[in-house]
């Protein structure tokens, strides 16, 4: 979730002169070399932009004037800014610090800020100023792994791999971690191709596993989704770095073998059920729909809805 900004800088809605104990217009006059950084001047620079929840967001990357500021002056300025935000009734502060200005993290932490998250070039710290415990939303809680159950209906064979670098060599479906902004089906198709050389197309979503404290998820929970894919190439050319073995296996053999993971065995049985009784019994298919507020599109996954239910207007 991303804190959004309502238009206009905070400066525009503040009574300017005298409010922080400095004259209006000092910002423009004080830019450039030789500026004296007293606490009100730093606080003025830090005032940030309001968000629609009553918080304020400060992007240090936009404040080039702070480039040469030392950590101690930053701390006294931030302290003055916090007083100002409190007097304005702000409920929270979001402080975005570029990695090259990380010297400001410790002074911010000493004033009560905590890490909210960090990405490659920037960290975001928050300070709750409102009543009671913080109501700020946390950052990402899960990582997403996606596997492809590539099933060839003509031969009843399923594509399986054994991972390299695993303590036990068990058969499983090829798959891996989703990339930012990547659709679930695209992850499955990409990972299957990277690991096995097999080209395929997305058909449906079959299962979702949620596991907390997954050892490979950096302390986060793991969401592992298995998709049904249809192959359109069949010659295996597997990745030697990631896989030890790769083969097209009879679905019934995968169901019988003990040398597999419980989730693979369960999904193999689900596939056999779908193959025999109709894949509509097991498939969550995907449809793209427009989002109401943002103008974006999203993917919705669910069991097929009969046409008369799609178009019905009432309960009769
Ligand atoms: N139950 C099952 O059948 C299994 C499910 N999974 C799920 O699959 C997803 C992840 O799939 P993967 O194939 O592991 O991802 P992946 O295909 O994206 O591969 C991750 C790569 O990163 C490498 N790697 C991981 N940690 C590393 C480290 N600390 N240093 C250097 N290299 C490192 C691995 O060797 C591997 O090559 C997760 O959601 C996981 O829960 C993974 C294995 C078995
Ligand atoms: Mg993998």
């Amino acid at each position: 979730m991303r804190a959004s900004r309502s238009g206009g800088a905070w400066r525009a809605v503040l009574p300017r002169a005298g409010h922080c104990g400095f004259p209006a217009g000092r910002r423009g006059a004080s830019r450039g070399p030789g500026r004296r950084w007293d606490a009100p001047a730093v606080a003025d620079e830090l005032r940030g932009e309001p968000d629609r929840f009553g918080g304020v967001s400060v992007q240090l990357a936009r404040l080039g004037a702070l480039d040469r500021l030392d950590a101690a002056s930053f701390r006294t300025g931030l302290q003055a800014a916090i007083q100002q935000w409190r007097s304005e009734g702000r409920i929270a502060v979001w402080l975005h610090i570029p990695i090259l200005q990380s010297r400001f993290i410790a002074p911010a932490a000493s004033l009560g800020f905590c890490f909210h998250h960090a990405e490659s070039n920037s960290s975001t710290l928050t300070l709750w100023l409102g009543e009671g415990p913080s109501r700020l939303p946390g950052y990402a809680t899960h990582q997403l792994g996606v596997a492809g159950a590539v099933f060839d209906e003509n031969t009843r064979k399923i594509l399986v791999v054994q991972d390299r670098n695993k303590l036990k060599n068990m058969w499983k479906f090829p798959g891996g971690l989703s990339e930012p902004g990547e659709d679930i089906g695209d992850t499955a198709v990409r990972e299957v191709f990277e690991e096995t050389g097999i080209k395929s197309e997305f058909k449906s979503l079959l299962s979702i596993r949620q596991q907390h404290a997954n050892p490979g998820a950096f302390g986060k929970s793991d969401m592992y989704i298995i998709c049904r894919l249809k192959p359109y190439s069949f010659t295996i050319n597997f990745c030697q770095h990631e896989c030890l073995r790769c083969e097209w296996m009879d679905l019934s053999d995968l169901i019988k073998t003990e040398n597999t993971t419980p989730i693979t065995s369960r999904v193999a049985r689900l596939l056999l059920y779908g193959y025999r009784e109709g894949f509509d019994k097991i498939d969550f298919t995907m449809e793209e729909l427009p989002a109401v507020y943002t103008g974006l599109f999203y993917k919705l996954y669910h069991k097929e809805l009969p046409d008369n239910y799609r178009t019905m207007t009432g309960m009769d």
Side-chain angles (χ1 to χ4, degrees), residues 146 161 163 166 172-177 191-192 194-195 242-243:
V146 186
V161 296
D163 276 343
K166 284 278 151 79
K172 48 160 279 216
F173 303 123
L177 297 175
E191 283 286 343
V192 164
E194 286 174 6
E195 294 187 1
E242 289 197 50
C243 305

Side-chain angles (χ1 to χ4, degrees), residues 171-301:
W171 292 112
K172 48 160 279 216
F173 303 123
L177 297 175
S178 202
E179 290 175 359
E182 188 174 47
D183 282 343
I184 293 166
D186 292 344
T187 305
V189 167
R190 175 181 56 75
E191 283 286 343
V192 164
F193 181 71
E194 286 174 6
E195 294 187 1
T196 70
I198 297 298
K199 294 178 184 164
S200 62
E201 66 176 284
F202 172 79
K203 300 303 285 184
S204 71
L205 202 144
L206 294 174
S207 70
I208 302 173
R209 179 193 73 171
Q210 185 190 31
Q211 186 185 51
H212 301 300
N214 183 292
F218 306 101
K220 297 293 174 188
S221 303
D222 182 79
M223 197 76 93
Y224 177 57
I225 294 182
I226 300 180
C227 299
R228 184 167 74 84
L229 306 183
K230 183 177 176 183
Y232 61 84
S233 83
F234 300 90
T235 308
I236 289 172
N237 178 18
F238 71 89
C239 171
Q240 306 287 333
H241 295 295
E242 289 197 50
C243 305
L244 198 61
R245 296 184 184 85
C246 174
E247 62 181 60
W248 287 106
M249 185 182 280
D250 272 337
L251 184 58
S252 54
D253 289 342
L254 184 59
I255 287 169
K256 273 184 253 159
T257 185
E258 289 184 0
N259 189 22
T260 188
T261 64
I263 189 168
T264 307
S265 183
R266 175 67 61 89
V267 170
R269 286 153 212 267
L270 196 65
L271 273 171
L272 182 63
Y273 172 57
Y275 175 73
R276 286 180 174 166
E277 309 283 334
F279 286 117
D280 58 317
K281 291 268 196 300
I282 62 168
D283 280 347
F284 276 55
T285 51
M286 182 275 283
E287 195 178 334
E288 189 170 78
L289 295 173
V292 175
Y293 298 113
T294 56
L296 301 172
F297 287 82
Y298 57 77
K299 307 288 185 325
L300 187 67
Y301 303 83

Side-chain angles (χ1 to χ4, degrees), residues 42-57:
V42 177
D44 181 31
E45 201 65 35
L46 289 175
R47 74 197 161 270
E49 295 174 20
D51 65 36
R52 68 187 168 98
F53 299 98
V56 61
S57 181

